[in-house]
Amino acid sequence: MGVLNDYDLSTLMPLGRDAGPTGTERTGTLPFMALELLNSTALAGNVEHRYRHDFEAFLWVLTWIAHRYQGGKEIPNAPFTSWIADHQQCRKEKKTPIGRTWLQTSQYQH
């Protein structure tokens, strides 16, 4: 059994100080963040993080892998590159109906 820890945004707190997590901290990789967290309000820390956000992130990771990799190699000109731009573009692209955009216009072969 192992434990995965991400200390990139961690800080040391003095002993005795009660400063536990508030649930509004924003960490994550932009293309995989839940839609509800991809807006200015959430990125400012004003939306409480929920387990459903983690589950949605997991689904975005599966979607990304399934459509950007074939045989263990990244597909040239694969979809979702626009998700990397910024949070507004990523949210806009994710909200676009899938069948009407990248599935019909993708430049790769399965």
Side-chain angles (χ1 to χ4, degrees), residues 8-86:
D8 288 348
L9 300 175
S10 63
T11 57
L12 293 174
M13 302 298 293
L15 290 175
R17 183 170 174 201
D18 185 22
T22 63
T24 59
E25 297 83 9
R26 289 289 70 88
T27 62
T29 305
L30 191 64
F32 311 127
M33 290 176 70
L35 281 173
E36 188 177 6
L37 302 178
L38 289 174
N39 61 52
S40 299
T41 303
L43 292 172
N46 296 319
V47 174
E48 187 174 352
H49 187 87
R50 304 277 185 189
Y51 286 115
R52 69 176 182 258
H53 298 137
D54 292 336
F55 179 68
E56 184 179 336
F58 174 72
L59 296 176
W60 288 122
V61 169
L62 288 179
T63 302
W64 178 276
I65 292 170
H67 293 281
R68 290 190 59 95
Y69 291 87
Q70 184 174 17
K73 298 190 187 306
E74 189 168 13
I75 300 167
N77 301 318
F80 310 134
T81 303
S82 60
W83 290 9
I84 301 170
D86 61 50

Side-chain angles (χ1 to χ4, degrees), residues 30 38-40 43 82-83 85-95:
L30 191 64
L38 289 174
N39 61 52
S40 299
L43 292 172
S82 60
W83 290 9
D86 61 50
H87 76 276
Q88 293 170 334
Q89 181 68 25
C90 184
R91 180 177 174 84
K92 177 184 169 192
E93 293 294 324
K94 284 181 174 182
K95 287 180 76 170

